[in-house]
Every structure is written in structure tokens, then in C-alpha cells.
Amino acid sequence: MLTTIYILSTVLGGGLIALSTLFGDHGDGDAGADGGADAGGDAGGDAGDGGGEGGHAGTWLPILSLQFWTFGLAFFGLTGLLLSTLTSAPVAVQLLTALPTGAISGLGVSYGIRKMRTQQISSSLDEQAYLGTEATLLFPLQRGDTSKIRFSLQGRTLELLAVTEEDAALPAGARVVITEIERGRAKVIAADLFLPAPDELA
């Protein structure tokens, strides 16, 4: 019975991996509390910068990631199948080896995909492309503090540290516009205060 479970897990997980490889993975599958189309991102490793920014890190739930279950099932099944067919290990040992192997593999792969999908400023993108882009403020922001924004650009969902020089505090969820990129941070203003340059109105 247990061997059948191992086989089914290996086939199901391996099949999903094969389909993802052949046809591409167009959905993140993460439905974590950070709520993005992609599951969160790192903002250039500046966690904790700018007055406790690290305390605002978005919540990530790997068990809600499709990649976690896909690779977890595959490695759980493969490990259990190898132990059950090639060794005389007791059932308890098989499970105590296969379960953490699957969990760690699923966690590692889903985390790696999450990190790759949501990126900081890419060197392949001209910083000028960011100017005037509308974004969502993930955490409250006021002058002198640092927050984080999420926005879409050229088919990518990006996150970036953000600062403002406006006197009025901006609440989480506010729509803002990027006015400048400086040292890897975006200067933003409230979207309703943004006025395009005269040549943009022509």
C-alpha cells in the first residue's frame, strides 16, 4: 500500500514538473498574504533598511504554492520508492526520510522560484522606464522613512524600496507614481498629485 502511494506521488509530481517544463509555468500559484501576482520579492536585500523596513516583510506561505506541492510530491515519492525497493528499511524509517526530503525539496524550489520572479531593478531595464510608472504602496510611508512599492513593467512584477519627499503621509495600498530612481530606491508621490510634463500632454 505504501509503495503504491510512493509511485503515485512520483508519477503525479514528476508529471506536473514535466508539463511545467514543456509548456512553461504561467502562474505562480502562490496565494500568500502578500497577495501579488507573483509571490513577494526581496527588494535588493535591504531588509531592515530605512527605519525598520524589515519589519514589514510580506508573509509567504509555501504550502499555498503549487511548486511546493509539485516538487514535494515528486521527491517524497521518489525517496520513499527508492528506500522501499532498494533497502530493507522499516516503514517508519522510510516515512521519516521521505517526508522531510519532500518538504525541504518543495520549500527550496518554491522559494527559489519566488525569489526569481519578483525582482529589484534589472540591469536590462533603463531606469528612465520607471519614471511615471504607477505603483501600489505596500506599507505606510512618510517623509524620512522607507517603504516598498509593487508595480508591473514590461511584463514583470517588481518590488522596490520607496521614499517620499512629500509632507503628507501615505497609507498602505495608496497609488503612487515613481518620479525618480536614486541609489536603487524609488522616489514617489501620491498618484493624484502627479502632473505629466507639458510635452506628455501634447
Side-chain angles (χ1 to χ4, degrees):
M1 176 64 180
L2 195 55
T3 300
T4 301
I5 294 176
Y6 293 148
I7 293 174
L8 290 176
S9 297
T10 303
V11 171
L12 179 59
L16 289 173
I17 293 172
L19 289 175
S20 177
T21 302
L22 289 174
F23 300 106
D25 188 4
H26 300 292
D28 188 357
D30 284 339
D34 60 355
D38 295 329
D42 68 347
D46 286 317
D49 188 23
E53 152 65 10
H56 296 307
T59 302
W60 174 56
L61 299 177
I63 62 172
L64 299 181
S65 168
L66 177 62
Q67 288 80 19
F68 173 82
W69 292 106
T70 297
F71 286 87
L73 278 174
F75 282 93
F76 161 76
L78 183 59
T79 301
L81 189 59
L82 290 175
L83 288 175
S84 65
T85 56
L86 300 181
T87 73
S88 57
V91 171
V93 173
Q94 296 175 25
L95 288 174
L96 288 176
T97 303
L99 284 172
T101 298
I104 292 172
S105 300
L107 181 62
V109 172
S110 61
Y111 181 76
I113 292 175
R114 174 180 184 265
K115 293 289 286 186
M116 287 189 295
R117 283 185 172 172
T118 305
Q119 307 170 35
Q120 192 194 9
I121 291 181
S122 171
S123 58
S124 63
L125 294 175
D126 185 348
E127 286 187 356
Q128 293 298 316
Y130 291 80
L131 305 186
T133 299
E134 194 167 304
T136 299
L137 191 64
L138 299 184
F139 314 109
L141 175 63
Q142 60 185 3
R143 189 170 186 172
D145 287 344
T146 304
S147 182
K148 188 187 291 185
I149 56 173
R150 177 178 294 151
F151 58 98
S152 296
L153 186 65
Q154 298 186 8
R156 309 187 200 186
T157 297
L158 305 175
E159 288 185 359
L160 192 63
L161 292 178
V163 297
T164 186
E165 295 183 350
E166 300 299 312
D167 293 327
L170 298 170
R175 299 299 296 174
V176 296
V177 173
I178 300 173
T179 60
E180 186 179 345
I181 299 292
E182 185 177 278
R183 292 179 299 186
R185 299 185 184 188
K187 287 186 178 181
V188 301
I189 63 173
D192 56 1
L193 297 178
F194 178 69
L195 295 176
D199 58 341
E200 295 178 359
L201 298 175

